[in-house]
Amino acid sequence: RWLLLLSSLWLLVVPPASSIFQRPTGSPAPPRLQYLLEPLHATVHTQRGATATLPCVLRALPSNYRVKWSKVEPANYRESIIIITNGLYHKNYGPLSPRVRLRHSHRYDASLTITDVALEDEGRYRCQLVNGLEDESISLTLHLEGVVFPYQPSNGRYKFNYHEAKRACEQQDSRLATYQQLYKAWTEGLDWCNAGWILDGTVHYPIINSREPCGGRLLLPGVRTYGARDKQKDRFDAFCFTSALQGQVYFIRGHLNFKEAGQACQNHGAAIAKVGQLYSAWKFSQLDRCDGGWLADGSVRYPITTPRQRCGGLPDPGVRSFGFPSKELRTYGTYCFTGK
């Protein structure tokens, strides 16, 4: 009797396996696109300085329609309108205005073309068909190939509030990285124990090798997070992102102090390179030098694509740093940048 009673209770508590995985009756199916074609690829890959096209094609032309392109801004989750068209006329909006146009290769084509792609163009875009009660939209992501690097000022770690971190990256020919960019950099080997700001105002640090000073050996590798922090009061480092260069970085040998390094670049019709420019040259041009050189922020670094014992001895490629030595020290050469 007890076994029969327990079996009855079990059937009351646990539903049949088939009912666990069924969609609840009456739940709405995802809306089907009536006028817009689903893009074959939701992500468009590009580099800084290139021309990129985000596809948006109509399968039919409804009467009295408009197509609106907008960009989702990660810092405030708002949408900024870029362009609106009714098929005959269009109007551009916002800072992207001078660099965007409709491809319009045929009457059903509302694809958006961005020329001279900039670092801040990366992100999510929305193509929305506005047609009264039948509005529909597709989302696409513009992805820039690039490199993420940690950055701190000459006076030490954890000195930036959010706005200072944002400005520091921009001064080094880069911008604050997005979470997606930082996560991708971690999957490619970025291991850094200092926490830093990213674009959406949250703070993280990527760990490949778990260790005591970085949360302990028991925590799994990953992108550790401090979450959203006070953008005015809290202070951390920064994670910056840069992409391909529109120019060239090269090394001038010598025993120069910081001022002489800047003058040496000027004598060649160039400028002393910024940190982001050196990282870009290392990533995209495979710049490989065993020589420490001054950069515009007063730091001394050198890029290594083929690791070797005599160049720091570390097993992985990277941009090595000597920190911020005295600017009067006459020990290093300089890295210069010349634009196209």
Side-chain angles (χ1 to χ4, degrees), residues 8-160:
S8 301
L9 288 172
W10 175 255
L11 288 174
L12 287 172
V13 173
V14 181
S18 59
S19 68
I20 296 175
F21 300 104
Q22 288 176 347
R23 178 182 290 174
T25 304
S27 62
R32 290 184 68 251
L33 293 174
Q34 182 178 356
Y35 293 105
L36 296 177
L37 289 174
E38 193 74 39
L40 287 176
H41 304 286
T43 300
V44 174
H45 297 266
T46 188
Q47 292 181 354
R48 178 168 53 175
T51 296
T53 297
L54 299 168
C56 184
V57 178
L58 284 68
R59 68 173 81 236
L61 300 177
S63 58
N64 302 319
Y65 78 95
R66 289 179 298 154
V67 171
K68 179 176 72 173
W69 275 100
S70 56
K71 184 175 188 289
V72 179
E73 302 296 346
N76 52 26
Y77 301 103
R78 294 180 181 175
E79 290 195 16
S80 301
I81 297 175
I82 300 170
I83 197 168
I84 296 178
T85 180
N86 63 1
L88 295 175
Y89 307 101
H90 69 272
K91 185 174 181 180
N92 293 19
Y93 298 86
L96 266 174
S97 180
R99 297 189 289 111
V100 296
R101 57 180 171 82
L102 294 169
R103 182 174 64 180
H104 208 64
S105 57
H106 53 78
R107 62 196 295 251
Y108 299 101
D109 186 13
S111 302
L112 183 74
T113 295
I114 305 173
T115 60
D116 194 19
V117 170
L119 293 176
E120 59 268 22
D121 296 342
E122 167 139 333
R124 191 158 63 89
Y125 291 76
R126 190 158 77 112
C127 177
Q128 181 181 16
L129 176 75
V130 182
N131 183 36
L133 298 177
E134 299 177 304
D135 295 357
E136 56 188 54
S137 66
I138 58 171
S139 291
L140 300 112
T141 298
L142 185 66
H143 172 75
L144 269 69
E145 300 295 338
V147 57
V148 172
F149 60 93
Y151 188 75
Q152 58 183 222
S154 59
N155 57 341
R157 69 198 287 263
Y158 295 175
K159 301 297 183 182
F160 295 135

Side-chain angles (χ1 to χ4, degrees), residues 57-325:
V57 178
L58 284 68
R59 68 173 81 236
L61 300 177
S63 58
N64 302 319
Y65 78 95
R66 289 179 298 154
V67 171
K68 179 176 72 173
W69 275 100
S70 56
K71 184 175 188 289
V72 179
E73 302 296 346
N76 52 26
Y77 301 103
R78 294 180 181 175
E79 290 195 16
S80 301
I81 297 175
I82 300 170
I83 197 168
I84 296 178
T85 180
N86 63 1
L88 295 175
Y89 307 101
H90 69 272
K91 185 174 181 180
N92 293 19
Y93 298 86
L96 266 174
S97 180
R99 297 189 289 111
V100 296
R101 57 180 171 82
L102 294 169
R103 182 174 64 180
H104 208 64
S105 57
H106 53 78
R107 62 196 295 251
Y108 299 101
D109 186 13
S111 302
L112 183 74
T113 295
I114 305 173
T115 60
D116 194 19
V117 170
L119 293 176
E120 59 268 22
D121 296 342
E122 167 139 333
R124 191 158 63 89
Y125 291 76
R126 190 158 77 112
C127 177
Q128 181 181 16
L129 176 75
V130 182
N131 183 36
L133 298 177
E134 299 177 304
D135 295 357
E136 56 188 54
S137 66
I138 58 171
S139 291
L140 300 112
T141 298
L142 185 66
H143 172 75
L144 269 69
E145 300 295 338
V147 57
V148 172
F149 60 93
Y151 188 75
Q152 58 183 222
S154 59
N155 57 341
R157 69 198 287 263
Y158 295 175
K159 301 297 183 182
F160 295 135
N161 66 24
Y162 172 82
H163 306 287
E164 292 164 346
K166 185 173 182 290
R167 187 161 55 249
C169 288
E170 290 166 355
Q171 289 170 348
Q172 296 308 314
D173 192 51
S174 59
R175 73 188 297 242
L176 278 176
T178 65
Y179 181 81
Q180 290 77 12
Q181 289 165 345
L182 181 63
Y183 185 88
K184 183 174 184 291
W186 169 71
T187 65
E188 294 171 349
L190 181 60
D191 182 286
W192 197 254
C193 205
N194 293 350
W197 294 102
I198 63 171
L199 187 59
D200 63 4
T202 57
V203 175
H204 309 267
Y205 64 102
I207 293 296
I208 297 290
N209 302 306
S210 298
R211 50 201 186 273
E212 286 305 327
C214 307
R217 298 180 183 275
L218 298 180
L219 283 180
L220 293 174
V223 179
R224 313 264 175 81
T225 179
Y226 287 13
R229 311 298 290 190
D230 189 307
K231 292 183 178 180
Q232 292 287 353
K233 296 179 181 178
D234 289 327
R235 295 188 173 271
F236 297 95
D237 292 345
F239 286 105
C240 305
F241 171 84
T242 193
S243 185
L245 281 175
Q246 298 300 291
Q248 180 188 9
V249 172
Y250 60 92
F251 181 74
I252 293 179
R253 190 182 299 276
H255 297 282
L256 311 170
N257 63 29
F258 178 71
K259 185 177 180 180
E260 292 167 343
Q263 187 60 53
C265 292
Q266 288 183 31
N267 293 343
H268 285 75
I272 188 168
K274 299 177 179 180
V275 177
Q277 291 167 341
L278 184 66
Y279 269 93
S280 180
W282 165 73
K283 175 76 173 181
F284 293 99
S285 302
Q286 288 73 55
L287 184 62
D288 183 292
R289 287 209 66 104
C290 210
D291 306 281
W294 292 102
L295 295 176
D297 66 341
S299 65
V300 172
R301 306 173 195 250
Y302 62 101
I304 294 296
T305 56
T306 304
R308 46 208 186 270
Q309 192 62 39
R310 294 177 58 188
C311 298
L314 295 176
D316 300 315
V319 175
R320 319 281 196 239
S321 175
F322 288 124
F324 295 84

